[in-house]
Amino acid sequence: MLGSPIRMGTPRPVYTAKLLSDPATAENDAGAPTAPAAGGEGEPYSQHRDTRLGSTDKELNAGAAAAHSSATAPGTPRQAEPRVEVMDAAVGPLNLLPRPCHVLVLLNPRGGKGKALPLFRSHVQPLLAQADVSFTLMLTERRNHARELVRAEELGRWDALVVMSGDGLMHEVVNGLMERPDWETAIQKPLCSLPAGSGNALAASLNHYAGYEQVTNEALLTNCTRLLCSRLLAPMDLLSLQTASGLRLFSVLSLAWGFIADVDVESEKFRCLGEKRFTLGTFLRLAALRTYQGRLAYLPVETVVSKTFPSRDRVQQAQQGPVDTHLVPLEEPVPSHWTVAPEQDFVLVLALLHSHLGSEMFTAPMGRCAAGAMHLFYVRAGVSRAMLLRLFLAMEKGRHMECECPYLVYVPVVAFRLEPKDGKGVLAVDGESVVSEAVQGQVQPNCFWMVSGHVESPPSLGRQPPPSWKPQQRPALEEHP
């Protein structure tokens, strides 16, 4: 069960009305007035998606006559409807959230410029009102708060978990789900990303996959809210990571070492600038460019696809979670069919699951990797400051691969191992700093569902189908004094 929404330590009801009033008067939530929708907020920012979202747009327009979504009064039983499966002539069955549906919104009020809550009221609530999406709002109060909440929550109460913040909060939620005893069921709860942080790379990637133009700030938030209203779900990969100290964690976006990780972590003090913090951090780090020593090895996609390797007996994996079939213990050498990078001096190493590393950083313009694969980039030492700046400026439009930089290496992989020498350099997982030590990881394909606007699934390496999605019976919502 969740604790008190808005403020910890003060008994309050669990809010299930569609709209949440000001935190100071949140007890009157059921009677909160509907925030008016500003003109044009419901329109997509790229019109060429109209044909794909046409039926959803008609439903939203038809639902606009009813000013409120179906709010659930405390104590009123709600029967969970099964997920709707419809057919698309081009791609087969599509997975959809039910209509109406009830979601838990985890919102970080201090993320980005600290405007997530007013943005939720002005840009998200009006669209949810039209789309029969009711919600319970929970404000996170500290680091790993969301992780603790989802680890203990009765997930059957919700049709989906909506995360409104930057990429770090989604990282917390996914790892909290994977730490549950029932992780195999918990990770199948559909997730939704609404951007309201400094780094909104996952939301920007979903926006890109949906066919929208690259946008930022409120425009990106509106597009992602429209994806939630469309209810379409798509399977997503996870990056399973193991560290030398025995830590097992999961990434929804990226692992970075070197320049990118330095910028991510060191620019935290400029959080009030929002996304501009990364631009400032990039110039500051370029002025004092560093190189990092270590060893990098990886398993290329083409090796996995073209060759079959003999199976080997493996020690039972101690941690819970999916088994990392491509990895051997870190104290052992990498398997002989892996590629070992000849370089040991780097400017950066980046393992990336999606297209964007930020809302204005189109890092992987070569297209989505196959399910079970990721993008691996590294830049060798020796690159000039001018060339590195040119690469980052070109990355906004995804043109950096056209710079023909001889120091930039790209390869799609299914697994990698990185061993920083003497623990030098910063490691960042989904933008969150972790201890700099030897780390290895592999992609676990189609591990969870996310709200998404794209219907085309990425090509598969032939290892796993999309995750099975079993609707859970949602218990009656309880009334709290």
Side-chain angles (χ1 to χ4, degrees):
M1 294 291 295
L2 285 176
S4 59
I6 307 302
R7 297 194 184 99
M8 297 295 290
T10 304
R12 292 180 185 268
V14 174
Y15 302 108
T16 56
K18 177 185 65 63
L19 298 176
L20 187 67
S21 58
D22 188 84
T25 58
E27 293 88 343
N28 298 321
D29 174 72
T34 303
E41 286 183 338
E43 294 303 313
Y45 285 81
S46 176
Q47 296 302 320
H48 63 274
R49 277 287 296 162
D50 285 354
T51 55
R52 191 177 297 176
L53 294 180
S55 60
T56 300
D57 292 340
K58 292 176 183 178
E59 290 177 5
L60 293 179
N61 292 334
H68 303 278
S69 70
S70 55
T72 305
T76 302
R78 294 182 79 244
Q79 297 299 320
E81 296 183 18
R83 180 191 54 176
V84 178
E85 189 172 85
V86 297
M87 294 294 293
D88 182 282
V91 298
L94 303 179
N95 297 288
L96 297 171
L97 291 174
R99 183 185 183 100
C101 67
H102 187 58
V103 301
L104 172 63
V105 179
L106 294 165
L107 183 148
N108 178 8
R110 293 168 298 280
K113 297 181 179 180
K115 298 180 179 180
L117 188 54
L119 285 173
F120 180 81
R121 293 181 182 135
S122 62
H123 287 72
V124 179
Q125 287 181 180
L127 294 179
L128 298 188
Q130 297 175 12
D132 267 350
V133 179
S134 59
F135 64 85
T136 296
L137 179 64
M138 168 64 70
L139 304 187
T140 61
E141 298 185 339
R142 60 185 181 279
R143 187 183 178 93
N144 282 323
H145 189 189
R147 190 173 192 154
E148 297 164 6
L149 291 173
V150 300
R151 199 160 50 200
E153 173 60 12
E154 172 50 61
L155 298 177
R157 295 166 55 84
W158 323 106
D159 295 305
L161 304 180
V162 177
V163 178
M164 185 162 174
S165 186
D167 299 308
L169 200 64
M170 183 63 76
H171 175 84
E172 285 189 25
V173 168
V174 166
N175 280 275
L177 294 174
M178 294 299 291
E179 290 165 359
R180 293 170 59 111
D182 61 342
W183 66 270
E184 289 182 279
T185 301
I187 197 60
Q188 293 175 14
K189 179 62 60 177
L191 304 176
C192 174
S193 178
L194 297 183
S198 300
N200 301 306
L202 182 58
S205 297
L206 295 169
N207 181 77
H208 172 68
Y209 301 151
Y212 290 136
E213 295 175 0
Q214 181 169 290
V215 290
T216 63
N217 301 319
E218 287 85 353
L220 180 59
L221 177 59
T222 298
N223 282 356
C224 290
T225 304
R226 289 180 62 83
L227 296 183
L228 175 57
C229 293
S230 75
R231 292 173 163 76
L232 182 63
L233 302 174
M236 295 287 165
D237 293 353
L238 277 180
L239 174 55
S240 171
L241 297 169
Q242 303 174 10
T243 70
S245 59
L247 179 66
R248 178 96 184 275
L249 68 159
F250 298 90
S251 165
V252 297
L253 178 66
S254 66
L255 177 140
W257 178 62
F259 185 93
I260 291 176
D262 284 347
V263 170
D264 214 339
V265 174
E266 294 172 1
S267 66
E268 280 284 337
K269 54 182 172 288
F270 307 122
R271 181 171 288 275
C272 62
L273 300 177
E275 297 173 3
K276 297 301 181 184
R277 65 177 256 214
F278 301 113
T279 303
L280 176 58
T282 296
F283 280 99
L284 291 176
R285 181 46 47 215
L286 279 172
L289 189 60
R290 299 169 180 162
T291 58
Y292 311 83
Q293 289 188 325
R295 288 181 293 181
L296 175 66
Y298 50 87
L299 178 56
V301 167
E302 60 184 16
T303 302
V304 177
V305 172
S306 62
K307 298 181 181 179
T308 302
F309 303 99
S311 61
R312 52 177 293 174
D313 295 331
R314 299 185 59 85
V315 178
Q316 181 65 33
Q317 189 165 296
Q319 302 107 326
Q320 69 179 33
V323 177
D324 295 325
T325 56
H326 291 298
L327 304 182
V328 299
L330 271 165
E331 58 270 18
E332 297 181 13
V334 295
S336 60
H337 58 281
W338 283 43
T339 298
V340 179
E343 299 84 9
Q344 294 195 9
D345 294 281
F346 302 90
V347 171
L348 66 87
V349 174
L350 173 67
L352 181 64
L353 288 173
H354 292 289
S355 62
H356 283 65
L357 192 58
S359 60
E360 294 184 290
M361 296 184 72
F362 189 13
T363 308
M366 58 286 299
R368 295 189 70 188
C369 278
M374 60 186 157
H375 308 283
L376 179 66
F377 300 87
Y378 65 90
V379 175
R380 299 182 290 110
V383 64
S384 67
R385 289 179 174 85
M387 175 57 78
L388 200 56
L389 177 60
R390 183 183 171 196
L391 288 174
F392 277 93
L393 292 176
M395 194 180 296
E396 179 180 350
K397 301 299 183 183
R399 307 295 296 271
H400 52 291
M401 302 305 294
E402 301 173 14
C403 294
E404 298 182 354
C405 174
Y407 297 92
L408 172 61
V409 180
Y410 165 74
V411 59
V413 305
V414 299
F416 74 94
R417 178 185 289 186
L418 175 63
E419 299 172 272
K421 185 177 180 180
D422 301 326
K424 295 293 180 61
V426 175
L427 277 175
V429 178
D430 298 341
E432 302 297 309
S433 178
V434 298
V435 175
S436 183
E437 58 182 341
V439 60
Q440 62 182 0
Q442 80 162 66
V443 182
Q444 294 288 346
N446 298 329
C447 270
F448 68 107
W449 293 100
M450 281 207 73
V451 169
S452 176
H454 71 285
V455 294
E456 299 89 353
S457 297
S460 174
L461 294 180
R463 297 210 308 276
Q464 282 191 15
S468 59
W469 193 93
K470 300 176 181 178
Q472 298 169 297
Q473 187 71 18
R474 186 164 56 239
L477 294 174
E478 302 172 6
E479 183 172 1
H480 293 256

